[in-house]
Amino acid sequence: MVQLYSEPVRIPVPGGKIIDEHIGAASTDESRLSVAHMQAPADWSEPFQTPEFDEFTVVLRGAVIVEHGDGESTTVNAGQSLKTTAGERIRYSTGPDGADYIAVCLPAFSPDTVNRDE
């Protein structure tokens, strides 16, 4: 059955980042995956996290910096994509231009399963 979702649900987060979830636990009660449009301002960062889901990131504008491993980081520029794996400790941030990107999480993102550092 075809289902149209008219508008995303805005997920409140501190630090100026905007998350509009189009499909997922918060917006459509979908637990298998989530699809969200992220808009992060210049020089934004969030705490390290160890999610219980795989995350696929597609950068539309700017660049997303992903810290991982033992101090390594990968910069994902507009037009590029990246996969992080459940159980991997990671941290997302942006450079001076901020970033617009799509995040797809399998299973769906949940505040209970992102496991952010305090």
Side-chain angles (χ1 to χ4, degrees):
M1 181 163 104
V2 173
Q3 294 181 341
L4 173 65
Y5 304 118
S6 298
E7 40 183 83
V9 170
R10 178 139 308 158
I11 309 293
V13 293
K17 179 179 170 183
I18 296 170
I19 301 176
D20 288 330
E21 185 182 90
H22 289 265
I23 299 167
S27 58
T28 62
D29 203 30
E30 174 62 65
S31 61
R32 293 174 297 169
L33 78 128
S34 59
V35 179
H37 179 207
M38 315 283 208
Q39 298 173 64
D43 301 315
W44 163 86
S45 67
E46 65 183 2
F48 274 94
Q49 58 191 19
T50 308
E52 297 174 28
F53 47 80
D54 291 347
E55 185 166 347
F56 300 83
T57 302
V58 180
V59 178
L60 306 172
R61 180 193 60 78
V64 174
I65 303 158
V66 182
E67 295 175 62
H68 55 92
D70 294 324
E72 299 174 51
S73 68
T74 301
T75 299
V76 189
N77 293 300
Q80 296 180 319
S81 55
L82 176 90
K83 176 189 176 188
T84 58
T85 304
E88 182 177 15
R89 188 168 185 262
I90 54 175
R91 178 176 176 242
Y92 293 95
S93 63
T94 63
D97 296 325
D100 240 1
Y101 59 103
I102 301 294
V104 177
C105 300
L106 294 168
F109 170 88
S110 162
D112 296 332
T113 61
V114 72
N115 301 316
R116 285 195 178 99
D117 290 3
E118 295 296 322

